[in-house]
Amino acid sequence: DARGLRERIRAPNAEDLRRWVPVVDTVAGYKVKDWLMGDIIAGITVGVMLVPQGMAYALLATLPPEYGLYASVTPLFIYAIFGSSQHLAVGPVAIVSLLVADSIGAHDFPARIAAGEFPGETAADLAVQFAALLMCIVGVLSALLGLARAGMLSSFLSHSVLVGFTAGAACVIALSQLKHLLGFRIPKSHFPIETLFYALAHLPETKPAPAIMGVLAIVYLVAARYIKRRWASTKPIVIAEDSNRSEFSVKLERAGRMFLFFFCSMAALEVVIIGTLVAAHLHQDKGYTASELSVVGAVPSGFPPPQAPQFAKFSNMFGDAFVSALVITILGFMESFAVADTYARKHNRKIDANQELFALGLSNIFGSFFNGYPVTGGFSRTAVNEGAGARTSLAAIISSLIVLIVIFLLTESFEYMPNTILASIVFVAVSS
C-alpha cells in the first residue's frame, strides 16, 4: 500500500551517505600525523609512475599518447570520493586498452572517411571521440550494475577463464608492440601467430636505433622489477632478539631498501627520461628521421575543454559499442575488484563489490566528458601505492594532481619520447 511504499522510499540518512560516499568517513576520521606523509609520498610516487604508463597504454589503445594522461585525472579524483578501497589506483590498464583498440579498429574509421561518412573529420579525432563514448557507456553500465547490487556476480566468474583470457591478452598485447620495438610496419591481423611469423620473416628490416633502445629499456625494467622484489621494501626490518646488529646498521639497511623501492618504482619514468634525451640528440644532432626512430611528436599543453560523448554521431555503431563496453565493464571490474580485495584483506578491511561498481561507473562517466577512455584499477600501480605508504584515498587525489601538473607544464618535453620506449613499458608490464 501507499504507506508501506513511503516507508521503503525514505530520505537518505547519514549512514547512507557514508556508504555511498566513503570519503566522508575518511575525512571525518583522518589522522593527519599518522597518515598524511604516507599519502603524500604514495600519491606523488604513483602520479609520477602514471605519466609514462598512461601514455604507453594510450598508444596501445591506438590513441594519441596525451589521452592516457587525460584519462588519469578525473577518474582518479572521482574514485577517491566514491570508492571503497583505500589503496586502489585507478587509471588506464593494458587489457582494457587492448579492448578499446580492438573496438576502434573494428569500425575502420579511415575507410568510413574515404566513403564520405564523416565529412571534415580525421580518423584520429573519430578514434578519440569513440573512445570517450565507450568510456561513458562503460560508466553507465557499471553504475547501473552497482545500483542493482550485481557485485555478487563476481563470485560466479570462473578463475580459470580469467587466467586464460589474461594470458591470451598478454600475448596479443606483447605482439602488438613489436612494430615499435623493431621499427618497421607490421600489418594488422586477427591471428597473433601471423603477426609473429611476419615479424620473424622481416627481421632484416629491423631499424637499429629502436631495437637497441627497446631491448635496453626492457632489460632495465626487468632488472628493476627483480631488484624491487628481491631487496626493496618500505616495511620495518625485523631483528631477532639475540642479534648483535647496531641500531645504525639497521637504519642504514632500511634506508637502502626504501631507496631501492622508490628508485625501482620509478623505472618507467627513468627509461622515458633517458630515452627521450637520447632520441632528442639523435634527431637534432645526428639527423635521424621518424623512419629511423619514431617519436611521439608534439604533445599539446593544457587540458582540452570538456565535451559530451558523441552519441548522435556514432548512433549507427551503438550496438557494437555497447557489446564492447559490456565486455570492458565485466573484465575491468573483475581486475579492479581482485586487486582491491587483495589489499583490503591485507589491511583487515572489507571491499563492497557493489560500491566498487558504482565508483568505477562514476569515474568513467565523468572521465568521458574530459577526453578520457575506459579505466579501471591496475595491479602494478596499486601495489606501488600500498607499498609507498598510502593510508587513504587522499593518495589518489594527489596522484591526479601530479598528472594535471604534468599536462599543463611538462608536455613540451615529450616531443622526442621514442615510441619504442613506450612499447617496452607495455611489454614488461604485461609480461608479469
Side-chain angles (χ1 to χ4, degrees):
D1 57 3
R3 181 179 178 182
L5 182 62
R6 284 196 300 270
E7 289 177 354
R8 288 193 296 271
I9 305 177
R10 55 178 175 77
N13 55 29
E15 184 178 348
D16 294 326
L17 181 63
R18 289 195 299 271
R19 181 165 63 88
W20 289 106
V21 190
V23 75
V24 173
D25 268 346
T26 301
V27 173
Y30 197 85
K31 300 177 182 179
V32 176
K33 291 183 178 180
D34 297 333
W35 297 350
L36 182 60
M37 187 53 64
D39 282 340
I40 291 175
I41 293 173
I44 293 174
T45 304
V46 174
V48 171
M49 181 183 181
L50 189 53
V51 171
Q53 276 198 356
M55 297 180 74
Y57 291 148
L59 198 68
L60 174 61
T62 64
L63 299 172
E66 62 267 25
Y67 285 86
L69 300 180
Y70 304 153
S72 304
V73 177
T74 308
L76 271 74
F77 190 85
I78 298 299
Y79 181 84
I81 297 173
F82 296 97
S84 61
S85 171
Q86 302 297 324
H87 300 103
L88 187 67
V90 171
V93 298
I95 291 179
V96 170
S97 298
L98 175 67
L99 293 171
V100 171
D102 185 64
S103 185
I104 291 173
H107 292 96
D108 197 1
F109 289 123
R112 290 174 180 267
I113 291 172
E117 188 172 343
F118 295 101
E121 299 275 7
T122 66
D125 289 340
L126 289 174
V128 166
Q129 295 167 18
F130 186 78
L133 174 67
L134 272 180
M135 190 179 197
C136 186
I137 300 173
V138 167
V140 172
L141 288 173
S142 295
L144 290 177
L145 288 171
L147 292 172
R149 310 195 67 78
M152 60 176 292
L153 297 177
S154 61
S155 60
F156 295 102
L157 192 58
S158 168
H159 177 70
S160 59
V161 171
L162 283 176
V163 170
F165 176 84
T166 303
C171 293
V172 173
I173 291 169
L175 289 173
S176 72
Q177 299 306 297
L178 286 179
K179 59 185 178 183
H180 300 299
L181 291 169
L182 299 178
F184 59 82
R185 183 180 176 276
I186 299 177
K188 288 184 178 181
S189 173
H190 293 292
F191 304 101
I193 194 67
E194 290 183 355
T195 301
L196 180 60
F197 283 161
Y198 185 93
L200 292 174
H202 292 77
L203 275 181
E205 300 176 21
T206 300
K207 303 293 191 302
I212 293 172
M213 291 181 69
V215 169
L216 290 176
I218 289 172
V219 170
Y220 186 90
L221 292 169
V222 171
R225 187 172 66 186
Y226 175 78
I227 291 171
K228 181 179 174 182
R229 290 176 177 176
R230 182 70 177 82
W231 290 294
S233 176
T234 58
K235 308 302 180 187
I237 298 173
V238 179
I239 305 297
E241 292 182 3
D242 57 349
S243 174
N244 58 359
R245 291 187 61 182
S246 66
E247 184 179 350
F248 175 76
S249 69
V250 173
K251 288 183 178 179
L252 186 63
E253 181 182 346
R254 187 183 182 195
R257 288 177 177 269
M258 290 182 68
F259 171 78
L260 284 176
F261 177 87
F262 290 109
F263 186 80
C264 293
S265 295
M266 297 295 104
L269 180 66
E270 291 153 14
V271 297
V272 162
I273 293 173
I274 296 170
T276 301
L277 291 175
V278 172
H281 170 69
L282 293 176
H283 276 262
Q284 294 176 348
D285 300 332
K286 300 297 182 179
Y288 271 57
T289 63
S291 63
E292 295 171 298
L293 178 62
S294 65
V295 294
V296 167
V299 176
S301 179
F303 210 88
Q307 59 177 347
Q310 305 293 311
F311 281 90
K313 181 180 291 186
F314 301 107
S315 58
N316 61 332
M317 308 176 195
F318 185 80
D320 293 335
F322 181 86
V323 173
S324 298
L326 182 60
V327 174
I328 293 171
T329 299
I330 295 171
L331 293 173
F333 168 67
M334 293 304 301
E335 177 176 353
S336 183
F337 181 75
V339 67
D341 189 55
T342 296
Y343 286 98
R345 291 175 184 273
K346 183 176 179 180
H347 291 269
N348 296 316
R349 295 174 179 269
K350 286 187 176 181
I351 294 295
D352 184 340
N354 299 308
Q355 183 63 27
E356 285 300 291
L357 275 168
F358 183 68
L360 289 172
L362 291 184
S363 298
N364 279 282
I365 290 172
F366 278 91
S368 69
F369 286 82
F370 291 89
N371 302 278
Y373 75 96
V375 298
T376 190
F379 282 99
S380 60
R381 292 191 300 271
T382 301
V384 169
N385 195 37
E386 190 268 345
R391 302 298 296 273
T392 70
S393 53
L394 174 63
I397 295 175
I398 294 172
S399 295
S400 69
L401 292 176
I402 293 295
V403 178
L404 195 62
I405 290 171
V406 170
I407 290 172
F408 277 97
L409 300 180
L410 299 176
T411 50
E412 290 183 2
S413 61
F414 298 149
E415 181 176 357
Y416 289 104
M417 185 185 298
N419 286 325
T420 185
I421 294 294
L422 295 179
S424 68
I425 292 172
V426 174
F427 197 90
V428 174
V430 299
S431 71
S432 61

